[in-house]
C-alpha cells in the first residue's frame, strides 16, 4: 500500500484434522523493519472452506480487496471482502463475486491506482471439465456489472492473471490455453 507505506499479506489457514474449515487471515507489515503492524486478523471464515486468497490495494480509495475461493455445496465460488487501510472489514464483510452452477476458482485481482475499480478474474470449470476465463469489476459498492467472458474458444483455458497498466484504468488479462485435445 503506497499510501500507507506498508505491506498487507494474506494466507489461508488449514486445519489438518478437518475440525475447523479453512479460513483467510491477514497481517500488515512494516516494510522498513519487517515487523507486524497490529495483530493478525481473520478476514473471512465460516463453515465452508475458504482458500487461495489474493489481495490488491486500491490507491484511489486507500482500501484493499481480498478475493478467494469459497467451497459452497461441493463446488467453488469466488468471494471477496473489502478492507480499509487499517485492515478493518468494510460493509458487512464477505460478498459473492461469482457464484453460479459451474465451479469457479483460482481468483486473481488487480486495482487501478487512479480509479475506484478492481478487476477480479477466475477460472470457471464446466461439467465437461473445460476451463473458461471470466472477470468482473468491483467497486466500493460491490460487483459492478455482469461477468465478462475473456475467451470464446471451445478448448481448455486455465490459470488466469491480471494487472493494471500504469496510472490508467486499463487492465491486462492473460491465461494458459490448451491447444491439443490430447490428455
Amino acid at each position: 500500500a503506497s499510501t500507507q507505506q506498508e505491506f498487507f499479506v494474506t494466507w489461508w489457514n488449514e486445519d489438518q484434522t478437518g475440525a475447523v474449515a479453512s479460513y483467510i487471515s491477514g497481517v500488515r507489515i512494516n516494510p522498513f523493519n519487517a515487523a507486524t503492524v497490529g495483530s493478525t486478523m481473520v478476514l473471512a471464515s465460516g463453515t465452508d472452506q475458504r482458500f487461495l486468497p489474493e489481495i490488491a490495494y486500491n490507491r484511489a480509495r486507500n482500501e484493499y480487496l481480498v478475493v478467494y475461493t469459497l467451497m459452497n455445496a461441493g463446488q467453488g465460488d469466488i468471494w471477496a471482502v473489502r478492507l480499509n487501510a487499517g485492515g478493518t472489514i468494510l460493509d458487512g464483510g464477505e460478498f459473492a463475486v461469482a457464484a453460479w452452477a459451474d465451479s469457479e476458482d483460482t481468483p486473481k485481482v488487480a486495482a487501478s491506482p487512479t480509479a475506484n475499480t478492481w478487476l477480479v478474474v477466475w477460472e470457471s470449470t464446466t461439467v465437461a471439465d473445460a476451463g473458461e476465463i471470466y472477470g468482473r469489476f468491483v467497486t466500493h459498492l460491490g460487483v459492478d456489472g455482469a461477468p465478462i467472458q475473456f475467451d470464446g474458444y471451445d478448448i481448455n483455458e486455465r490459470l488466469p492473471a491480471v494487472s493494471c497498466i500504469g496510472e490508467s484504468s486499463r487492465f491486462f488479462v492473460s491465461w494458459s490455453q490448451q491447444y491439443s485435445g490430447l490428455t
Side-chain angles (χ1 to χ4, degrees):
S2 57
T3 305
Q4 295 300 108
Q5 293 192 5
E6 62 188 26
F7 296 107
F8 201 122
V9 179
T10 62
W11 65 91
W12 91 76
N13 298 276
E14 183 178 24
D15 179 0
Q16 295 296 319
T17 69
V20 176
S22 297
Y23 58 96
I24 308 299
S25 292
V27 68
R28 296 164 42 218
I29 304 289
N30 181 322
F32 304 106
N33 62 11
T36 60
V37 177
S39 58
T40 298
M41 302 166 259
V42 174
L43 305 177
S45 65
T47 58
D48 294 316
Q49 304 287 343
R50 288 156 175 80
F51 53 93
L52 297 175
E54 292 284 327
I55 188 170
Y57 174 71
N58 184 329
R59 188 175 72 207
R61 292 196 58 83
N62 196 21
E63 293 177 358
Y64 299 96
L65 183 70
V66 178
V67 298
Y68 48 91
T69 301
L70 181 139
M71 289 305 288
N72 186 8
Q75 72 175 30
D77 292 325
I78 306 304
W79 282 65
V81 63
R82 275 183 41 249
L83 312 165
N84 69 15
T88 301
I89 296 171
L90 299 171
D91 297 333
E94 300 176 284
F95 60 93
V97 175
W100 57 69
D102 294 330
S103 185
E104 297 85 42
D105 62 23
T106 321
K108 302 294 181 189
V109 61
S112 168
T114 58
N116 174 28
T117 305
W118 289 273
L119 178 58
V120 179
V121 297
W122 64 89
E123 176 184 316
S124 183
T125 306
T126 64
V127 175
D129 200 32
E132 302 291 335
I133 305 303
Y134 286 86
R136 198 170 206 178
F137 288 101
V138 174
T139 71
H140 70 288
L141 299 174
V143 294
D144 187 19
I148 303 160
Q149 185 175 6
F150 286 102
D151 62 81
Y153 300 105
D154 196 21
I155 54 179
N156 211 9
E157 291 89 22
R158 302 270 187 207
L159 305 171
V162 62
S163 62
C164 187
I165 301 170
E167 293 293 316
S168 72
S169 293
R170 294 180 297 159
F171 293 89
F172 185 82
V173 178
S174 64
W175 58 87
S176 296
Q177 191 165 33
Q178 179 183 350
Y179 281 101
S180 171
L182 302 175
T183 56

